[in-house]
């Protein structure tokens, strides 16, 4: 199994390390030709404006869109979730528009700019999952094909799946809990 991690900007090193722990082949992706032959792709957190600009400069946008439409499993975390969305409620970032969700960037006030909280994520089992939120977005709308995987105590949606696309507003790669990545690999393998 060969998983690419978009390595234009942001927290890609941590994703690569986590995937290595899960013993899959990992490839940092910066160039168009590096998208070839992947079984799955991770779009990391970082700054969605910068990542989207770099994807544009390196001609990655339309290819990633095509791959997603043709069923390539993609997992976006934080800025990566923003980039998967159909619509961003508050900015000019050019998303991939592959997932039927509307997101709001930087959705938590200054005080809660960054925080950690234990989340119940039933698809990962009973044990709570540590959600690390860093200037995080939220999902403000999702169509009926989207499965919401996690919510905050106030019901705000913070993780979702649509077919083989997976998104989290928080950073599983900044924990030592491998379950979210394992879940993604199960989707890639067709076991989920
Ligand atoms: N605030 C960033 C953005 O809007 C996302 C932050 C992150 O990925 N940790 O792009």
């Amino acid at each position: 199994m060969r998983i690419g991690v978009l390595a234009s900007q942001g927290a890609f090193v941590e994703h690569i390390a986590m995937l290595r722990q899960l013993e899959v082949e990992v490839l940092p992706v910066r160039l168009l030709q590096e998208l070839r032959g992947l079984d799955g792709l991770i779009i990391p957190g970082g700054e969605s404006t910068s990542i989207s600009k770099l994807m544009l400069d390196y001609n990655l946008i339309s290819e990633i869109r095509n791959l997603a439409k043709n069923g390539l499993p993609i997992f976006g975390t934080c800025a990566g979730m923003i980039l998967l969305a159909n619509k961003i409620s508050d900015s000019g970032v050019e998303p991939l528009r592959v997932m039927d969700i509307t997101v709001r960037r930087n959705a938590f006030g200054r005080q809660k700019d960054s925080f950690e909280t234990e989340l119940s994520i039933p698809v990962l089992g009973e044990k709570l999952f540590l959600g690390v939120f860093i200037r995080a977005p939220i999902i403000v709308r999702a169509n009926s094909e989207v499965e919401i995987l996690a919510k905050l105590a106030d019901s705000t949606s913070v993780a979702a799946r649509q077919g083989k696309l997976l998104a989290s507003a928080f950073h599983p790669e900044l924990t030592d809990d491998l379950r979210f990545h394992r879940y993604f690999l199960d989707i890639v393998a067709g076991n989920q």
Side-chain angles (χ1 to χ4, degrees), residues 22-145:
L22 290 165
E23 297 179 347
V24 292
E25 193 187 335
V26 196
L27 195 88
V29 172
R30 292 187 183 87
L31 306 173
L32 189 59
Q33 60 266 31
E34 291 164 340
L35 286 168
R36 245 181 255 143
L38 297 178
D39 299 307
L41 176 69
I42 290 185
I43 304 181
E47 199 48 54
S48 53
T49 46
S50 313
I51 299 176
S52 101
K53 187 177 177 307
L54 287 161
M55 286 198 304
L56 207 59
D57 291 350
Y58 285 80
N59 293 317
L60 302 181
I61 298 214
S62 61
E63 184 59 15
I64 296 179
R65 244 177 222 150
N66 285 340
L67 291 167
K69 287 200 176 116
N70 290 325
L72 182 77
I74 305 181
F75 177 19
T77 57
C78 203
M81 175 174 101
I82 295 169
L83 293 164
L84 289 177
N86 251 339
K87 197 167 165 208
I88 301 169
S89 63
D90 64 327
S91 90
V93 177
E94 169 66 15
L96 292 161
R97 297 184 212 287
V98 292
M99 223 175 148
D100 289 323
I101 53 174
T102 301
V103 302
R104 188 188 314 144
R105 295 177 62 208
N106 302 319
F108 300 93
R110 273 201 150 185
Q111 215 110 31
K112 269 182 116 190
D113 229 355
S114 300
F115 62 99
E116 295 184 357
T117 189
E118 300 271 5
L119 297 166
S120 160
I121 308 182
V123 293
L124 301 185
E126 255 174 45
K127 195 174 150 234
L128 297 179
F129 193 93
L130 183 66
V132 178
F133 292 80
I134 303 170
R135 294 184 305 111
I138 58 170
I139 298 167
V140 289
R141 195 166 307 142
N143 92 353
S144 57
E145 279 164 42

Side-chain angles (χ1 to χ4, degrees), residues 133-182:
F133 292 80
I134 303 170
R135 294 184 305 111
I138 58 170
I139 298 167
V140 289
R141 195 166 307 142
N143 92 353
S144 57
E145 279 164 42
V146 176
E147 182 189 357
I148 299 297
L149 301 180
K151 288 183 173 181
L152 295 176
D154 68 0
S155 275
T156 303
S157 300
V158 290
R161 173 179 177 181
Q162 181 176 17
K164 291 178 184 285
L165 303 175
L166 190 60
S168 71
F170 48 91
H171 289 266
E173 79 285 6
L174 299 183
T175 71
D176 52 18
D177 194 332
L178 296 169
R179 286 179 295 157
F180 218 110
H181 286 72
R182 200 176 283 131

